Amino acid sequence: QVQLVESGGGLVQAGGSLRLACAATGRILSINVMGWYRQAPGKQRELVASITSGDMTTYADSVKARFTISRDNAKKTVYLQMNSLKPEDTAVYYCNVELHTAPGWRPTNYWGQGTQVTVSS
């Protein structure tokens, strides 16, 4: 019932910018945390950035000062503004959301389908 739809990936040159978006749809009561992970070939999936319901943010050291995560509560959407992109940023980026669908129920974790980001040198 709950789905995460990602958009905004693509191919850019080093130094360029992209903005990813992830919209959560379905019967959602509240959202605890929204974040972005990425996975490059041959590497483990890693946390890129996250944002809580209280707008507390976390960033991987490798993207600090270059990436900015934000959210639109009304649209249930999380964004990742990526500036000064480097070839090392090339990966599949996945949206992740922890949310509640009903009062008293345990929170549930959802993943987006993934969007490819490729940065050429």
Side-chain angles (χ1 to χ4, degrees), residues 73-87:
N73 292 332
K75 297 181 179 179
K76 297 183 177 65
T77 300
V78 61
Y79 304 92
L80 185 67
Q81 179 66 47
M82 304 185 293
N83 298 325
S84 301
L85 283 163
K86 304 175 181 179

Side-chain angles (χ1 to χ4, degrees), residues 17-40:
S17 299
L18 285 173
R19 190 179 78 155
L20 306 183
C22 173
T25 63
R27 194 175 185 86
I28 301 170
L29 179 64
S30 61
I31 297 175
N32 294 343
V33 185
M34 306 182 83
W36 291 94
Y37 290 73
R38 67 185 181 187
Q39 187 167 22

